[in-house]
Amino acid sequence: MRGSFTLRYALLTLVLAVFAYLYGLNSRFAPKNGDEYPYMHIVRMTADSGSWLPLQSGMDGIKNTKPPLIFWQGIASTHWASSWSLESLRWPSVLYTALTALLLFISVRRFSGKTQTGILAALVWLSFFATYRYGRPFLTDPPEVFWLSLPFFTLLYWGKTALESKLLFPVFAGICLGFALFAKSFAYIVPASFALGLYYWYWRQWSIPQALIRDLYKLILLAIIALGIFSLWFTLDPNPEAVWREFVLGENAGKFSARSTNYFVEFIRGGDSIWMLLLTTLANAGLFVFVLISTLLQCWRGRRFLLVEETLLLLLIGSFLLVFSLPSQRSGRYLLPVMPAFAALIALHWDRLPLWGFRIALVLQAILLGLLVWLGMNLQGLVFSEGSGIWQYHPLHWVLMGLGILLAIVGFIRRAQCKSFALMGCFLVYCGLTSSLVPLEGELGRFSAETIHRVQDKDVWIPCDYRAKDEEYRLLLPGAQLHGYPAKDAGEIESLTKSYPIVAVHSPLGSMPALCDSCQLLGHRMEMKARHSDEAIKEMLRGKISEHLFVTEYLIATAAAKPDLISIKDACR
């Protein structure tokens, strides 16, 4: 076995990884991207229409925001929105992530000749925070990463056979890339074709004439197949003009226009600069960012002696990095499809990597777990308001936290276990993050069954701080007709109760709002604030966690007349 990563450690880490990815899959507080709720909205609206196309949405300018594959996936997994839950929407994402990990294992195991290196590659990729954050929620990234990875790792698996294939591999690659485009964007044909072109060029020993004569037609063929699959959207959609206007021109071409000054200035400075792209790409590795840096440094030092597979992996990474440095909107999220390649490189260099990157990962893990313990101790046993219950952790929560901190300490001290424990520790941190908010997933953070029953089929106004926030409230108040008002007004209780017949308002913990004579309290729950002022953050660091991190949300029925839904803009839209 390679180094200290024995079979026992491999199996234990695999169990931790599976548990971390399944634990809290139905949680509203799972790390995710803000796109999940708008995607849920489109799925629900399209399912309600009873037709696969056109896509439906009540949000201004957000309808054809992505190709329909992800929304069809949501319709199928929820049985046309009849089984509506985060878990139902998310399990296909986890399946795609598992398939990508399996693909990584099979491919790396084949070309490295070592089973453990394949296991390492899969586990390292799963340990990246970007994989955990984007690989579980209902987002386009899991299918995109899988379908884009499939042709490249198939090529690495078969080697010469795939590179010399005149028809079979190009057709296979075209189909895979077609599904990737149908899941995310036609724009991905550019970096994918570019990378495959470099593969062929490298295989022809950098001979341009040989690559043009023997391989150019393969790239043209696979591009035609991939774009043909994507173009089915225009063929099947009853309104292709809207697809062209909203998706092609708005969603994709718009990424080349400068946001504020000009293209070249933003290329070298600001939040969309090339340096930010490099930084956020490395940050995709999360706690293993310094392990990734040490791997790339080692690749650079040994660049003259790289294996063929290592060279191909670096060409794949470089192709995507180069292409996605061209749009004016640059983000490390665009480089998610090459994170499996980074993981494969780490696995191939595992034994030769210095310990400093892993020790930094262990220190970061200990700090994060220590902060979660400190947070939990400040919240444990707190009574939020009369009848709301107590913030209470299960004893296993503290066992999990203690185990994670102990693992980080032992791994930092003992050289033999340093690398293995750093890898295991990533998954323990993810479990700790989920476990820390479990009390809010129970009765504390939900309305009672009686409250839900009392607002069935009634118009309810809720605070919205981002688009499609009402999709989260549909999980809390199923059956209610939800409308949004600006979240910044959630504390203006007197004004809100005069404006809406049933409204959700926010009040500091332990502070019962003064209700008007005609007002009726329907229910209440605890909610975690999404945004905080600098002063509030300072107060929380001084230990005043509950006062600033949480609020009590009251659902109040009033005598106010129902406002005109047509003339008043819905803040969730």
Side-chain angles (χ1 to χ4, degrees):
M1 306 302 287
R2 289 171 65 86
S4 62
F5 196 70
T6 64
L7 180 60
R8 177 182 59 184
Y9 288 144
L11 293 176
L12 181 57
T13 308
L14 178 60
V15 170
L16 283 174
V18 172
F19 180 74
Y21 273 75
L22 295 179
Y23 181 40
L25 189 61
N26 203 40
S27 172
R28 294 183 295 121
F29 306 105
K32 57 181 179 291
N33 177 269
D35 292 337
E36 184 174 40
Y37 287 136
Y39 292 174
M40 289 172 60
H41 173 78
I42 295 173
V43 168
R44 183 178 57 80
M45 295 284 287
T46 305
D48 288 346
S49 73
S51 178
W52 296 99
L53 286 173
L55 300 176
Q56 302 294 328
S57 171
M59 295 177 289
D60 296 336
I62 300 183
K63 179 186 289 184
N64 296 301
T65 183
K66 287 293 180 289
L69 187 61
I70 182 66
F71 306 114
W72 292 350
Q73 171 189 304
I75 291 172
S77 68
T78 61
H79 305 287
W80 289 86
S82 63
S83 177
W84 194 252
S85 69
L86 289 174
E87 191 173 40
S88 296
L89 288 160
R90 289 172 176 173
W91 72 257
S93 296
V94 177
L95 178 60
Y96 269 119
T97 300
L99 289 174
T100 305
L102 180 62
L103 172 67
L104 193 54
F105 161 70
I106 294 172
S107 178
V108 175
R109 176 179 178 267
R110 171 66 179 265
F111 67 72
S112 70
K114 297 176 181 178
T115 300
Q116 190 175 355
T117 305
I119 296 174
L120 265 173
L123 291 175
V124 168
W125 179 66
L126 291 173
S127 75
F128 291 163
F129 182 68
T131 308
Y132 182 75
R133 179 186 179 187
Y134 296 107
R136 298 170 73 229
F138 178 62
L139 297 170
T140 58
D141 304 284
E144 168 211 359
V145 172
F146 172 75
W147 290 112
L148 281 173
S149 298
L150 188 53
F152 290 100
F153 283 96
T154 298
L155 191 149
L156 288 169
Y157 182 91
W158 289 110
K160 178 181 178 180
T161 303
L163 286 165
E164 294 290 354
S165 172
K166 296 181 179 180
L167 187 62
L168 183 60
F169 178 76
V171 171
F172 171 76
I175 294 172
C176 293
L177 295 178
F179 279 109
L181 307 190
F182 211 43
K184 187 66 176 268
S185 170
F186 66 90
Y188 276 90
I189 192 61
V190 179
S193 299
F194 182 41
L196 285 171
L198 290 178
Y199 275 27
Y200 285 121
W201 191 20
Y202 173 79
W203 183 248
R204 304 303 174 193
Q205 299 182 335
W206 303 114
S207 170
I208 294 178
Q210 284 294 313
L212 290 175
I213 294 170
R214 304 178 65 177
D215 302 311
L216 179 60
Y217 80 92
K218 301 175 186 178
L219 296 175
I220 296 174
L221 176 61
L222 67 88
I224 290 174
I225 293 173
L227 291 172
I229 293 175
F230 174 80
S231 66
L232 289 175
W233 187 9
F234 293 90
T235 304
L236 299 174
D237 198 294
N239 191 4
E241 297 84 2
V243 175
W244 176 265
R245 182 177 61 256
E246 297 169 18
F247 182 73
V248 177
L249 298 181
E251 182 74 13
N252 289 272
K255 288 183 168 59
F256 282 89
S257 59
R259 293 194 181 188
S260 55
T261 54
N262 64 69
Y263 176 87
F264 295 103
V265 171
E266 292 184 352
F267 183 83
I268 59 175
R269 71 182 187 187
D272 290 317
S273 68
I274 182 64
W275 318 116
M276 188 59 66
L277 175 64
L278 294 172
L279 183 62
T280 53
T281 299
L282 292 174
N284 284 335
L287 295 167
F288 259 35
V289 60
F290 291 99
V291 176
L292 176 57
I293 291 173
S294 69
T295 302
L296 295 176
L297 290 174
Q298 196 168 94
C299 288
W300 173 253
R301 295 191 190 104
R303 59 190 179 278
R304 295 182 180 178
F305 310 101
L306 291 174
L307 300 173
V308 172
E309 292 80 10
E310 291 178 86
T311 302
L312 294 177
L313 290 169
L314 289 169
L315 287 175
L316 172 61
I317 294 167
S319 300
F320 273 72
L321 185 60
L322 177 62
V323 170
F324 284 110
S325 67
L326 299 179
S328 58
Q329 297 180 30
R330 303 174 184 90
S331 168
R333 188 179 177 185
Y334 300 149
L335 276 294
L336 289 179
V338 301
M339 294 313 294
F342 279 125
L345 288 172
I346 292 175
L348 291 169
H349 287 258
W350 185 264
D351 277 349
R352 292 169 284 163
L353 290 176
L355 295 181
W356 61 265
F358 295 93
R359 282 181 167 153
I360 293 176
L362 289 164
V363 169
L364 293 174
Q365 291 165 17
I367 292 173
L368 287 173
L369 290 169
L371 287 173
L372 291 174
V373 168
W374 173 75
L375 176 67
M377 292 177 67
N378 277 275
L379 295 175
Q380 176 77 353
L382 283 178
V383 179
F384 288 107
S385 64
E386 185 179 353
S388 294
I390 300 175
W391 188 286
Q392 193 73 34
Y393 286 113
H394 192 280
L396 288 178
H397 168 79
W398 302 111
V399 173
L400 174 66
M401 293 298 179
L403 179 62
I405 294 175
L406 178 63
L407 198 76
I409 294 172
V410 173
F412 188 88
I413 296 172
R414 301 189 62 174
R415 294 175 59 89
Q417 282 76 39
C418 179
K419 297 179 181 180
S420 300
F421 282 12
L423 184 57
M424 285 189 279
C426 292
F427 300 110
L428 286 174
V429 168
Y430 301 152
C431 292
L433 286 170
T434 302
S435 180
S436 295
L437 290 173
V438 162
L440 207 58
E441 292 288 353
E443 293 183 1
L444 285 178
R446 296 185 178 275
F447 292 110
S448 66
E450 180 184 357
T451 300
I452 295 173
H453 176 73
R454 296 175 73 177
V455 297
Q456 284 290 299
D457 300 318
K458 295 183 179 179
D459 291 290
V460 179
W461 275 259
I462 57 169
C464 282
D465 51 3
Y466 51 85
R467 302 184 88 172
K469 171 76 172 181
D470 57 313
E471 295 302 330
E472 179 179 354
Y473 274 85
R474 290 182 195 282
L475 303 170
L476 300 169
L477 293 170
Q481 303 299 314
L482 301 175
H483 314 280
Y485 67 83
K488 61 181 179 62
D489 300 330
E492 304 295 329
I493 299 174
E494 183 178 355
S495 173
L496 292 171
T497 53
K498 290 180 179 179
S499 303
Y500 306 112
I502 302 179
V503 62
V505 302
H506 289 171
S507 180
L509 291 180
S511 174
M512 178 68 182
L515 301 180
C516 61
D517 293 338
S518 59
C519 294
Q520 180 184 7
L521 181 62
L522 300 179
H524 62 289
R525 69 183 186 95
M526 310 320 303
E527 177 66 317
M528 185 169 65
K529 286 184 178 180
R531 296 171 182 172
H532 309 277
S533 64
D534 292 341
E535 187 61 32
I537 293 174
K538 293 177 182 178
E539 289 292 317
M540 285 191 284
L541 292 175
R542 298 188 186 105
K544 297 181 179 180
I545 305 295
S546 58
E547 293 91 330
H548 297 282
L549 188 57
F550 302 100
V551 293
T552 303
E553 184 171 81
Y554 293 96
L555 197 60
I556 302 172
T558 75
K562 179 179 176 180
D564 184 1
L565 298 178
I566 297 178
S567 61
I568 297 180
K569 180 176 176 58
D570 192 324
C572 295
R573 298 290 174 263

